[in-house]
Amino acid sequence: MKLTAEIWVSAYLTRLRLIEIPAFIVQRGDSTAGAVLVKLNTLDGKACCYQRSFDLMTGDRKWMVLAEGDEAEVDLSVSKQCGFDPDLWVIEVEDKQGRHLLDEPGLE
């Protein structure tokens, strides 16, 4: 059974909060089926945005880089995605060390 977007986002924010990584919802999407983007802000003018995609060969879900570089450029890319998909969730994670936890088990 697949988790709803809202439950996944809530669990993700809880995991981040437990190890004191600040994160917040920038855009709330559809509670059941909205896609999720995670923007990692390293607080040095740089950022990276991740989107979940499917590996057609294995059927696995993986987090892939959608955009990275100057934060303003990443924000522009995120804005474009929001324009294409009004059901999209956008989560911003702020961590100087670049931690996002997306590579941990259970978050794929």
Side-chain angles (χ1 to χ4, degrees), residues 1 22 35 61 71 76 89 91-92 104:
M1 182 176 194
R61 288 189 267 174
E71 185 179 9
L76 181 60
W89 289 77
I91 308 302
E92 182 161 344
E104 288 196 349

Side-chain angles (χ1 to χ4, degrees), residues 17-97:
R17 187 171 47 253
L18 288 172
I19 58 171
E20 299 179 358
I21 298 175
F24 51 93
I25 298 170
V26 174
Q27 178 169 308
R28 184 175 297 275
D30 181 80
S31 62
T32 57
V36 178
L37 294 181
V38 175
K39 176 188 163 193
L40 173 62
N41 182 346
T42 52
L43 305 172
D44 60 357
K46 302 291 183 188
C48 185
C49 182
Y50 298 90
Q51 67 180 358
R52 193 165 36 183
S53 64
F54 290 95
D55 183 330
L56 297 175
M57 299 299 287
T58 64
D60 293 337
R61 288 189 267 174
K62 295 182 177 183
W63 287 95
M64 307 294 287
V65 174
L66 171 68
E68 67 181 318
D70 291 331
E71 185 179 9
E73 293 174 19
V74 173
D75 285 342
L76 181 60
S77 182
V78 170
S79 292
K80 287 180 183 177
Q81 293 298 314
C82 291
F84 299 139
D85 184 359
D87 295 332
L88 187 65
W89 289 77
V90 180
I91 308 302
E92 182 161 344
V93 177
E94 296 180 340
D95 188 64
K96 289 181 181 180
Q97 297 173 40

